[in-house]
Structures are given as structure tokens and as C-alpha cells.
């Protein structure tokens, strides 16, 4: 599946969103339930994480399929999901800083969970499918 770049408007909508909703499709093409998750943008890239890596639930489904559908206010799009895990030191640092900046009002206890090693290992990069 080919990907394309996020538009400036899409990146702004995602950046403003408190949460992004993500869902996967059943084999027959119908959507499973939408799951709200925290999302951050760095430059022209979009990242999500979960508290800990697991094979079941939304995380396992999007990793195994490599695809999902995401939505925020004013935007709903099919994406390609790239499991980058911790990525490079630079990627990890950038995503960590973005999570701390965007979600700091929830307090260190909550945000610290999203920058801990378990969550870092569950970092996904989302890219829009070519459209």
C-alpha cells in the first residue's frame, strides 16, 4: 500500500485534537469500534503510543494488518501503520518531548507512563494511504 504526505491542514487538525480515534476493519470491510488514543505530530510525521505493547485489542490488530482508519474533528482517513518501536534515539526523544508538551496538564504520573520504555516500544507512525 502506497502512502502520501499529510497536508498542512491535516497536521494542524491532528495537532489540535485532544485525541485521535483509531479503528481497524473486519475481513468483510466493516469497521470495528473506534478507540480514542493520544496522538502527537512532529514535523510532518504523526505518532501514537499505547501504555504497553500487546498482541490483542486495537494495537495488535493495527500492527498485524499494517493499516487502520483514523479520525479527528474534520478529518477521517485510511492510514498505513509503521511499527517503529523505540526508533532512533532522536525519534524517541522527539516523540517523548511532544507527549510531555501536549499532555502535561494531566500531570507527570500520567505522562510519565507514555514516555516509559513499555510505551516507547509501542510507538507507531501513521501515514495517510495514497488517495
Amino acid at each position: 500500500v502506497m502512502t502520501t504526505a499529510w497536508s498542512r491542514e491535516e497536521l494542524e487538525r491532528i495537532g489540535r485534537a485532544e485525541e485521535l480515534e483509531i479503528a481497524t476493519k473486519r475481513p468483510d470491510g466493516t469497521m470495528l469500534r473506534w478507540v480514542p488514543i493520544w496522538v502527537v505530530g512532529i514535523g510532518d510525521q504523526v505518532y501514537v503510543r499505547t501504555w504497553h505493547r500487546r498482541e490483542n485489542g486495537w494495537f495488535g490488530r493495527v500492527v498485524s494488518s499494517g493499516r487502520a482508519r483514523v479520525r479527528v474533528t474534520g478529518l477521517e482517513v485510511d492510514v498505513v501503520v509503521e511499527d517503529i518501536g523505540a526508533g532512533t534515539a532522536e525519534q524517541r526523544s522527539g516523540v517523548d518531548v511532544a507527549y510531555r508538551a501536549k499532555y502535561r496538564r494531566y500531570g507527570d504520573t500520567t505522562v510519565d507512563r507514555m514516555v516509559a520504555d513499555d510505551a516507547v516500544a509501542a510507538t507507531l507512525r501513521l501515514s495517510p494511504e495514497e488517495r
Side-chain angles (χ1 to χ4, degrees):
V1 179
M2 299 294 292
T3 62
T4 187
W6 293 105
S7 72
R8 170 80 35 230
E9 180 188 356
E10 289 169 335
L11 290 167
E12 287 172 2
R13 286 181 187 275
I14 291 167
R16 281 195 307 269
E18 179 66 18
E19 294 175 318
L20 172 138
E21 290 184 300
I22 192 165
T24 52
K25 294 178 183 170
R26 294 180 181 92
D28 69 3
T30 59
M31 299 299 294
L32 287 161
R33 97 182 151 86
W34 292 97
V35 177
I37 55 173
W38 285 1
V39 59
V40 296
I42 302 166
D44 61 355
Q45 303 293 317
V46 172
Y47 299 92
V48 296
R49 285 179 174 167
T50 188
W51 300 117
H52 63 277
R53 200 175 174 86
R54 58 187 176 275
E55 301 311 310
N56 59 355
W58 75 267
F59 184 84
R61 287 192 300 273
V62 302
V63 169
S64 66
S65 71
R67 300 181 66 200
R69 189 157 181 90
V70 297
R71 68 184 182 188
V72 296
T73 302
L75 175 67
E76 186 172 324
V77 65
D78 289 318
V79 295
V80 173
V81 178
E82 186 183 354
D83 181 0
I84 66 162
T88 64
E90 184 180 1
Q91 277 175 316
R92 176 182 179 161
S93 174
V95 176
D96 286 355
V97 166
Y99 268 100
R100 287 192 185 283
K102 184 170 182 180
Y103 296 106
R104 82 168 50 99
R105 71 184 167 285
Y106 290 97
D108 288 343
T109 305
T110 301
V111 177
D112 284 351
R113 292 180 66 191
M114 290 306 287
V115 298
D117 290 344
D118 281 354
V120 170
T123 303
L124 305 175
R125 179 168 42 209
L126 308 179
S127 302
E129 279 189 19
E130 195 167 40
R131 43 194 184 229

